[in-house]
Amino acid sequence: MDGLVMTGQLLLGLSILIILHEAGHFFAARAFGIRVEKFYLFFDAWGFKLFSFNYKGCEYGIGWLPLGGYVKISGMIDESMDTDQLAGPPQPWEFRSKPAWQRLIVMLGGVTVNIVLGIFIFWMLTLKNGETFIPNDKLPDGIAPGIIGREIGLQAGDRITAVNGTPVKRFEELTSSKVLLGNTELTVQRNGQTIPVQVPGDVLEMVSDLGIGQFVEPRVRMSGVVQIAAGGNAEKAGLKVGDSILAVNAKPVTFYDEFKTEVQSVKNKTVSISVIRDQQAIEIPTQVSEDGTIGIYISQYHNIPLESVNYGFLAALPVGAAKAWGSFMDNAKGLGKVASGQVKANKAFTGPIGIATMFGGTVDWVKFWSLVGLLSMALALMNLLPIPALDGGHAIFLLIEMVKGKPLGDKFMERAQMVGFVILITLMVFVFGNDIVKHIIN
């Protein structure tokens, strides 16, 4: 059932993005009197389609291959590779007969809609939900570094006060792109001293391997057990909800990170857990699993202060726009990391399986629209890449034409389109294969 819910959310999200992206091309073309012959959600490869109808000279339909969508514009060399119509003289309703600046607007129509959609979604989410965050200067016990954090030199109890000299106001900034894109300097307060800690350029790759929780988290004190995994070692040993854990193998654990460290140091072994239950001290021997857990959950934010900010209709717009544009720039910088070799491509790219997993097996509309907003900005960036067959490739050719004063030859455009298709198919095979490998490994 979870798989069906994930798939359903993925298809719904992609359908919204594809339809609106192609609508950007469609309406821009119609505005300049250019005929649009087809408008398809998904590809009707080899002529197979799930559904279609004709309305005012345009065929609308749903293809069977869910790898995108397209609009077929008269007089344009596109993914249909229909060059027969180019044999005759240009017609007034054709793409090729229009000025270069009009054709450029048509080609950028889809990207423009994706950017506007992303801004709108984040605007509405900000208006509805506001922002809830952890004030960095009010963390009672500083941070708890994970494996990655300890590797770069952070210690439990550190207080990170600035990133590249800019004060940190919200703890969430420490797990944002301004830090995780690497090559940054953290200002750390430790035992009354100010210490610089360098974040390496490949930290994003380490986070991809180990998870964001292995970088830094707020340091929290131990509290009573709030949940016990059914059938887990803790349940078998007799631990109960409400037990307060004091020590592991007689070593006191005041903080949750201390508890995790002690338990993970004795994987596949038995430990003695000291707890207080009904005001009595009890020793409970418990088996530790091979991944260093015993199957309990505590409230990790019970002593962490939270602040909320609500915004009015207009005030929410710049906040939402900043979030949308920030995600666009984060993706662009991430691509730069891949191009420079600081992050491996198989760690950076996620395909349909990974995206479906992000949506999850339950319907959470805030999460759904947040992901759609992020995907809309990512789709805008990907379509701007200067690859033939993408909007960015067409835009580059049009800009060259505007500089030269005459269009590039039809033969050149046909060959460029074929090269673009080869590149895109290669990327698709890589992304799908990478997704499958990740799924099998995990």
Side-chain angles (χ1 to χ4, degrees), residues 61-121:
I62 300 175
W64 65 273
L65 188 61
L67 296 179
Y70 72 99
V71 288
K72 187 177 185 302
I73 298 174
S74 295
M76 175 184 171
I77 299 176
D78 57 13
E79 50 267 14
S80 68
M81 294 305 293
D82 182 6
T83 58
D84 291 341
Q85 62 180 297
L86 303 180
Q91 301 299 316
W93 62 81
E94 289 186 332
F95 180 83
R96 57 179 171 157
S97 69
K98 302 299 179 179
W101 67 269
Q102 291 185 4
R103 286 178 279 143
L104 183 61
I105 290 174
V106 172
M107 293 317 306
L108 295 179
V111 168
T112 301
V113 168
N114 282 134
I115 292 174
V116 171
L117 175 64
I119 291 173
F120 179 77
I121 289 174

Side-chain angles (χ1 to χ4, degrees), residues 228 233-240 243 277 284-286:
I228 295 177
N233 291 332
E235 183 182 64
K236 294 174 183 177
L239 279 163
K240 296 183 178 181
D243 286 348
R277 180 187 300 166
I284 302 177
T286 308

